Amino acid sequence: RDPSSTPYNPWVLDATPNATTLNLPAVRGVDNLNNMEQVTIDNPTAGTYNIEIAGFSIPQGPQTYYVVYEFVTDDVVLTYPIGGEGINHAIDEKIRWDAFGNSGTFNVEYSDDNGSSWNVIAAGVSASQRYLDWNVPNIVTGEALVRVTRGASSSQSHQPFSIHGVPTGLNVISVCPDSMLVSWNAVPGATGYEVSLLGAMYMDAVGTGTGTSLMIPAQSTVSHWWSVKALAPNNCEGRRANAVFQAAGQFNCVFAVDAGLAPRGLTNNSTYLSCMGAIIDVKINISNDGATSISNVPVHYTVNAGPAVNEVYTGTLAPGANVNYTFTTQITPAPGLIDLVVWNDLVGDGNSSNDSIISQFTYTLSTPNALPWSEDFETFTLCSTGSNCEADVCPTINDFINETNLAVDDNDWRTDEGGTPSAGTGPGTDFNPGTSTGNYLYLEASNCFNMQANLISPCIDLTSAINPQLTFAYHLFGSTMGELHVDIFMNGTWTNDITTAIVGAQGSAWLQRTESLTAYLGNIVNFRFRGVTGSNWASDMAIDDISVAEPSSINENSLTNSFNIHPNPSNGVFHFEYNGDAVLLAKVIDANGRIINQLNLSPMQKGMLDLSDYANGLYLVVLSNGNNVITKKIIKE
């Protein structure tokens, strides 16, 4: 009853022969759908039952009501296995059933011939138990049934199920553009196997065979989950093995004829300055990825869907060999976005997935910079210092290029001033002019671990240079510092690491490096500063004050007059100005004769020398230009 109903009207059972009447009170309330009355009749006698509903305090009508009834019998109902399952004989199963009451015991049997004969699993199972652990027999059948009996009541599987072994040792032998060769260990008693791939919702059968390997249709450009199950006569289908993941990509795929192309030179999603070459070579690598030698490979390209340029590589490539090829017809691009498509169409090529290259780059007009050239980033716009890595794009000017995130590199060099957001890493000031409001470029490492950022310089004209030198300031302070590389672009090709890579923490002060460029005389070049963050947030590296200039000889007097350092004495922070016109080497030496800092000064350079972490006392600043040496004393107090 509903305890909120007042008054309480009991149900009345009129047990007249063949006409039993149940008088049920209507429940007070606006929404009777939220209320329910229930009565149970144990062991009802045969006959007709009338249900009468008496309403009271019904504010308005008619009032809708529902009568639901259920006959609960003491029959046994098997719930597992009910049929169609594939059961592994190597694993115990639980047989489950439902039954009413706790009288009598249960007998459990199985058949392996669709009910023609039965085998006892257990007899006298407790009346209160509704499951049984079954040690599945080591048999192969597609006609298995289970039966549970209590007294005169019995229930068995609705249809046969299978008992069979499950394949092991699932392995992918090769992945080709449109197919995948898979294998597994043999299952005793199996006469065949079915292989499945995960579809939109289910594991879908994609092939059957009698051996222990099968080539199945599968695109190599996407990843797959796959599995296999054993088959036997009489519709026997074993349980599928646990699915195995196969990542996208090809391997061990060999065709009789397969000419592959790879890009060389131009980088997809990059920016290309006209001073890097008004005429652009189209360079590719041709490889023989097939099992037989290939010759006379037709190659083609189009620019912005224009007319095709058609050429032929006339050499012969043995299986596994490759060759660099440069089209004799070059591109003379117009400024803007360039779509370049390169392809080959060798007759009989069985693999189309590696036959073409699609590249897109931006071509921008730019004039080479004459010597001396320098950049201290003071006119650059400050960028975000957030820790959202590749999502932050930092614009550059003066023909500097931050390469495209997630296409060429991972993140950008960012323009900043003062300190970086993380304590214990990054500079507090820039190198030139050495103030908290001076600009530098840095890599934000928070949440951006092991990420690469490429900064490309404008074009520098070395065609008339005699002894040019690249000088740059760097700051690599942090316990998990990454590495800084400097590369050069010349005649359409990048050469990596023209100076020794700077790896790991280098202290809390700005340092400088100078590299001779005499090996690149007579050319127009670009530099690429390739920074890689470390394994944690303490990896905010920075660069500043990049220059290319010719060193020149100056006498001792002019050297003395061109360098000024102040205040002196100082509490540890000294500012200097170098007004000379040649590269100058400055060494800071303590009272014990140890070199504690070393700087390469560029013409007209200003900066800061920080001795805050060193003891008070006298220090020497030794200046040299290769011909003359002077010494200046400074005092920290």
Side-chain angles (χ1 to χ4, degrees):
R1 74 178 183 87
D2 179 358
S4 66
S5 60
T6 304
Y8 170 55
N9 292 331
W11 291 10
V12 178
L13 174 60
D14 181 7
T16 57
N18 297 323
T20 301
T21 301
L22 300 179
N23 294 311
L24 305 182
V27 178
R28 182 186 310 226
V30 175
D31 183 5
N32 281 343
L33 292 179
N34 293 329
N35 300 278
M36 181 178 69
E37 298 286 349
Q38 179 175 309
V39 64
T40 301
I41 305 174
D42 292 331
N43 300 316
T45 58
T48 301
Y49 289 77
N50 299 320
I51 300 175
E52 296 181 358
I53 309 297
F56 61 91
S57 298
I58 304 298
Q60 62 184 19
Q63 173 69 54
T64 302
Y65 65 88
Y66 299 89
V67 176
V68 180
Y69 63 91
E70 176 187 12
F71 291 103
V72 180
T73 68
D74 59 359
D75 292 336
V76 176
V77 178
L78 180 70
T79 57
Y80 180 82
I82 61 173
E85 298 90 352
I87 289 181
N88 182 5
H89 56 63
I91 300 175
D92 286 354
E93 291 282 349
K94 269 188 166 51
I95 300 171
R96 298 182 182 274
W97 63 90
D98 289 334
F100 184 78
N102 289 321
S103 62
T105 59
F106 300 96
N107 294 330
V108 184
E109 306 164 280
Y110 81 91
S111 171
D112 59 10
D113 54 11
N114 200 20
S116 296
S117 62
W118 292 92
N119 306 284
V120 175
I121 300 174
V125 177
S126 171
S128 62
Q129 190 163 318
R130 299 296 183 267
Y131 70 90
L132 179 69
D133 289 324
W134 181 26
N135 185 5
V136 182
N138 187 3
I139 59 175
V140 176
T141 179
E143 298 183 324
L145 299 171
V146 163
R147 182 170 67 185
V148 179
T149 303
R150 181 177 65 179
S153 178
S154 177
S155 178
Q156 69 180 49
S157 306
H158 298 169
Q159 59 185 13
F161 59 88
S162 298
I163 300 176
H164 208 339
V166 174
T168 60
L170 277 64
N171 181 50
V172 177
I173 299 174
S174 65
V175 179
C176 290
D178 59 357
S179 60
M180 185 165 70
L181 180 60
V182 297
S183 68
W184 54 89
N185 296 331
V187 176
T191 57
Y193 301 91
E194 179 184 279
V195 178
S196 300
L197 284 180
L198 180 62
M201 295 180 63
Y202 307 107
M203 293 295 289
D204 300 325
V206 293
T208 58
T210 57
T212 56
S213 65
L214 188 67
M215 185 74 74
I216 59 174
Q219 296 298 315
S220 64
T221 54
V222 296
S223 58
H224 299 283
W225 286 93
W226 70 279
S227 184
V228 62
K229 63 182 178 182
L231 307 177
N234 297 320
N235 299 316
C236 180
E237 297 184 8
R239 180 173 296 172
R240 256 194 313 263
N242 290 339
V244 174
F245 179 75
Q246 177 60 41
Q250 297 182 40
F251 74 94
N252 289 344
C253 183
V254 179
F255 295 87
V257 179
D258 184 9
L261 299 185
R264 191 171 61 90
L266 291 173
T267 303
N268 191 30
N269 292 306
S270 63
T271 298
Y272 193 83
L273 302 175
S274 62
C275 54
M276 300 169 81
I279 299 177
I280 300 176
D281 287 326
V282 179
K283 300 178 179 181
I284 58 175
N285 180 270
I286 305 172
S287 60
N288 182 0
D289 300 329
T292 59
S293 296
I294 58 174
S295 303
N296 302 320
V297 180
V299 289
H300 321 269
Y301 77 81
T302 61
V303 175
N304 292 340
V309 173
N310 305 306
E311 297 184 7
V312 176
Y313 167 69
T314 57
T316 298
L317 292 176
N322 69 88
V323 64
N324 291 331
Y325 180 80
T326 301
F327 281 83
T328 57
T329 303
Q330 299 166 303
I331 301 175
T332 305
L337 195 63
I338 307 297
D339 287 310
L340 174 66
V341 180
V342 186
W343 72 97
N344 87 80
D345 53 4
L346 181 65
V347 175
D349 193 323
N351 180 14
S352 61
S353 67
N354 60 354
D355 289 347
S356 61
I357 305 165
I358 300 176
S359 302
Q360 187 177 79
F361 62 94
T362 301
Y363 187 74
T364 303
L365 296 179
S366 177
T367 302
N369 291 272
L371 302 189
W373 167 86
S374 65
E375 179 60 72
D376 60 7
F377 308 113
E378 295 306 302
T379 59
F380 279 45
T381 301
L382 297 179
C383 294
S384 166
T385 59
S387 57
N388 50 349
C389 310
E390 65 275 1
D392 255 331
V393 175
C394 185
T396 54
I397 59 174
N398 299 341
D399 285 344
F400 273 85
I401 300 167
N402 257 326
E403 293 207 275
T404 306
N405 296 343
L406 300 181
V408 180
D409 61 1
D410 302 312
N411 57 355
D412 279 355
W413 288 89
R414 308 187 192 186
T415 308
D416 191 26
E417 64 180 13
T420 64
S422 302
T425 186
T429 67
D430 73 339
F431 177 78
N432 182 18
T435 67
S436 60
T437 57
N439 290 356
Y440 56 86
L441 299 189
Y442 91 106
L443 297 185
E444 177 55 53
S446 296
N447 298 323
C448 310
F449 311 144
N450 302 309
M451 287 190 173
Q452 180 171 313
N454 298 340
L455 177 74
I456 298 177
S457 77
C459 297
I460 310 300
D461 190 350
L462 303 182
T463 55
S464 301
I466 299 173
N467 185 28
Q469 294 179 329
L470 167 68
T471 302
F472 62 93
Y474 60 93
H475 191 283
L476 274 68
F477 172 52
S479 59
T480 57
M481 183 53 61
E483 52 195 61
L484 175 63
H485 303 258
V486 181
D487 313 322
I488 195 168
F489 181 84
M490 183 181 71
N491 296 328
T493 302
W494 283 104
T495 300
N496 289 346
D497 293 319
I498 62 170
T499 186
T500 303
I502 305 169
V503 180
Q506 305 294 313
S508 60
W510 280 98
L511 302 174
Q512 275 191 302
R513 178 167 291 189
T514 297
E515 186 69 28
S516 173
L517 300 176
T518 54
Y520 313 103
L521 292 176
N523 294 282
I524 294 174
V525 300
N526 303 78
F527 302 100
R528 178 172 61 195
F529 290 84
R530 187 161 41 93
V532 182
T533 57
S535 59
N536 212 324
W537 57 267
S539 180
D540 292 351
M541 74 173 64
I543 57 175
D544 194 11
D545 206 34
I546 306 170
S547 66
V548 180
E550 298 270 11
S552 61
S553 176
I554 55 176
N555 61 42
E556 185 175 340
N557 288 334
S558 61
L559 180 61
T560 302
N561 295 331
S562 64
F563 184 84
N564 181 40
I565 187 166
H566 60 87
N568 190 17
S570 163
N571 62 358
V573 177
F574 300 84
H575 295 275
F576 64 83
E577 296 90 25
Y578 172 51
N579 299 315
D581 58 2
V583 174
L584 190 65
L585 176 64
K587 297 180 181 179
V588 182
I589 302 175
D590 66 10
N592 296 318
R594 294 183 298 117
I595 299 175
I596 62 173
N597 203 345
Q598 180 171 305
L599 306 173
N600 287 300
L601 305 182
S602 301
M604 308 307 293
Q605 181 174 326
K606 297 179 182 180
M608 180 184 72
L609 182 63
D610 189 355
L611 302 183
S612 300
D613 295 334
Y614 295 94
N616 293 343
L618 177 68
Y619 294 85
L620 300 179
V621 179
V622 180
L623 307 169
S624 64
N625 63 0
N627 300 309
N628 299 295
V629 178
I630 66 167
T631 301
K632 294 201 173 191
K633 298 177 182 179
I634 58 175
I635 298 174
K636 181 195 173 192
E637 60 182 16

